Amino acid sequence: MFKWRRNYNFSQLMATYAVLLSTVIGLFALYMGTTTTANDNRAIDASLTNGLDKVADQVTANAREVHELGQHLTSTSSQVKNLNKYFELNPAAYLTYSQTTSNHEAFYYLPDETLQLLMSNPTIEQVRITMSDFKTSFVADRQTPGGYKTMRRVSSRPRFQFSYPFVDNANLRGYGTLTLTYQTQTLTTALNKLNRGANLQVLALTPTGQASYHFHGREVTARSARQTVSRVQRTFGRQASGSAAFAQQYRYRTSKLADGSILVAMTDRAVVRQQQRLKNWTLGAEAVAIDVILFGGLWLTFRRYRLQLQQMIQSMALVGRGDLAVRLKVPAQSGDLKIMATGINQMLDEINTYVYQIYQLEIEQRDANMKALQSQIQPHFLYNTLEYIRMYAVAEDQNELAEVVYAFAALLRNNTDQSPTTTLAKETEFIEKYIYLYQMRFPDQIAYGLQLAPILADLTIPKFILQPLVENYFAHGIDYLRTDNVVSVKAWQDGQQRVYLQVQDNGRGMSAAQLATVQAQIKSQQVTGERTSIGLRNVYERLQGYFGERATMTLTRNQQGGLTVMLTFVRGTTDATRHDRG
């Protein structure tokens, strides 16, 4: 049974295409994985930088605000006295005091100041003022924006607080502290919107190393967040332990502010590697799935094509074993297989026809060979017969008849010779015997002359290049009523290696119109005109075919009223020579 082997071109093509497709998809998946990882790393770096910038901007703004408020409350001694009065007096007495001193330009009413501050900045949760000479503290918040005095201590829970110390410029002794506590919801929302903010952590440390703000994305667990705070405090706090070990676990950025605060933005390297590994595995799985889908689709798509091609190969195998009666099954659907099957069937039909024709040709060739053998015997028999007649004429003292028979035999032998070329000497010798026969027929009416330069005797020329020109004279130009008919053949060479072959007669000639017509017919591509122009055209074409396009043939009317035919060509520029030079 026929098997679909791997050494078939279609199977190899399918395998090659599958490997190529798999390679391309694999390289694309590798490229996408590398690109995704690089983009992910850039996004992480950008999130660290952006997170750090946002917290730094907020911390800087808050520090500036608490500094400006502290300056506003204690920039002059009168303002410091006014602040102390709030703590010394009860609210009613402080109100009376403020009414009596309100016309002073440095005076401020503390409850009004905190009320305006809380209304102008919604991110402030609490304003606290503590004085070293008083046990109570002033607190203003969203519930009591005008503030109140309290004995409660400040909570030690980390809060987003910014303090401004009150310092006596005279003795540089601190006498109080202004503390603003800010809500972090707005800042946290902005950080959550950052790209790759889910695993981001940003920590703000006070100059004393305490955590004043800690942001962690939604994918960071509370336990991991607490561990991160502890690690950051140990690494960047007052008792800094070095950042080498920290850098192995976290990718981070740090910033130290003017007030000594330290900001650290970080993300866990293990989490990043796990996420990147998951993405790369997902890309790999997708690439494998695409390969499977494409290979399966490719196999199913070409299954019918493969089966049809398999049947065609089976049929072609039978044809190769000599069964020319087999025909390929032509698919019903149009396509390349249908075209190929139809073409092969037509080719097999033509092969059968050709086989039959070749068989017939072989039979005809045998007959032709037999006739050729017979035709070789016939000229030999004819030559022997003519030689017998010539010898009989010599024996009977009929020398002229013997010469005529000899000339005729020579002409016949030259005509039956199949050689395409001859020498100029042999060609003129052949012409002389040809003219001799006419002289024997028309004695005392025809004269001839042959002038051949010795240097041209061995020149190779196409056979019958001059004889048709002489024959044309005897067929169309000679006047048998005259007794002074003359034809001459001359051959010479100039100093430029150009050869001139001239056939001249004193026959009837041609008119100027006839000459123009014959010249045009000679150079025409179509075979038209009389027998004369056809013979001349044959001579011209063989002359150019042998000596090249520079060979010429001209017909002119001479002074004797006859015709002069001039053939010219450059010696040595035969067709074979030109091909060798090319």
Side-chain angles (χ1 to χ4, degrees), residues 16 41 48 60-61 104 108 116 158 165 233 262 283 306 332 334 376 399 446 579:
T16 302
N41 289 332
L48 293 176
T60 302
H104 195 281
Y108 58 82
Q116 293 177 7
Q233 287 178 327
I262 297 177
L283 282 173
R306 181 173 54 84
S334 61
Q376 291 176 1
N399 293 328
I446 302 173
H579 283 297

Side-chain angles (χ1 to χ4, degrees), residues 316-521:
M316 290 302 297
L318 295 175
V319 173
R321 290 195 289 268
D323 188 357
L324 297 179
V326 175
R327 293 296 180 269
L328 275 63
K329 183 179 179 180
V330 179
Q333 296 180 346
S334 61
D336 51 353
L337 290 184
K338 183 175 182 179
I339 295 173
M340 186 166 61
T342 303
I344 292 176
N345 288 339
Q346 292 176 353
M347 181 185 68
L348 292 174
D349 293 338
E350 293 175 357
I351 288 175
N352 282 333
T353 303
Y354 293 153
V355 169
Y356 176 76
Q357 292 176 350
I358 291 172
Y359 176 72
Q360 293 295 325
L361 288 174
E362 287 180 353
I363 296 175
E364 294 175 0
Q365 184 66 36
R366 293 193 191 101
D367 294 340
N369 291 338
M370 185 63 68
K371 292 178 181 179
L373 292 174
Q374 293 174 354
S375 66
Q376 291 176 1
I377 296 174
Q378 290 173 357
H380 184 69
F381 170 75
L382 185 58
Y383 300 151
N384 290 339
T385 302
L386 291 174
E387 181 63 18
Y388 172 78
I389 294 173
R390 188 182 75 85
M391 294 304 297
Y392 180 76
V394 172
E396 293 295 325
D397 200 21
Q398 297 290 330
N399 293 328
E400 286 188 357
L401 178 60
E403 289 294 332
V404 170
V405 172
Y406 175 76
F408 177 71
L411 291 176
L412 184 62
R413 192 182 303 275
N414 189 65
N415 281 341
T416 57
D417 184 11
Q418 301 298 318
S419 176
T421 61
T422 186
T423 64
L424 187 56
K426 290 181 179 180
E427 181 78 2
T428 55
E429 181 182 352
F430 175 72
I431 291 172
E432 185 174 14
K433 289 181 173 61
Y434 182 77
I435 297 174
Y436 174 74
L437 291 178
Y438 274 92
Q439 283 182 325
M440 291 298 100
R441 182 181 177 187
F442 303 100
D444 301 328
Q445 286 185 265
I446 302 173
Y448 72 92
L450 300 175
Q451 296 181 16
L452 174 61
I455 194 173
L456 299 177
D458 294 330
L459 176 64
T460 301
I461 60 173
K463 197 173 182 180
F464 297 117
I465 203 73
L466 293 176
Q467 187 272 339
L469 305 181
V470 177
E471 182 181 354
N472 271 345
Y473 165 66
F474 286 108
H476 304 285
I478 192 169
D479 185 357
Y480 293 104
L481 298 178
R482 296 170 55 180
T483 59
D484 60 346
N485 293 296
V486 177
V487 61
S488 68
V489 178
K490 297 180 180 180
W492 71 93
Q493 177 179 315
D494 64 12
Q496 302 297 323
Q497 295 292 313
R498 177 168 286 276
V499 177
Y500 297 86
L501 304 181
Q502 177 184 285
V503 178
Q504 184 173 337
D505 63 71
N506 63 346
R508 291 192 288 267
M510 293 183 184
S511 65
Q514 289 176 326
L515 281 175
T517 302
V518 172
Q519 290 277 24
Q521 290 174 350

Side-chain angles (χ1 to χ4, degrees), residues 76-107:
T76 64
S77 59
S78 299
Q79 291 174 334
V80 174
K81 178 180 179 181
N82 181 52
L83 183 60
N84 286 324
K85 286 294 182 180
Y86 179 83
F87 285 93
E88 292 175 359
L89 303 176
N90 57 45
Y94 180 70
L95 178 60
T96 303
Y97 169 77
S98 63
Q99 290 175 349
T100 58
T101 58
S102 60
N103 56 349
H104 195 281
E105 60 180 11
F107 175 79

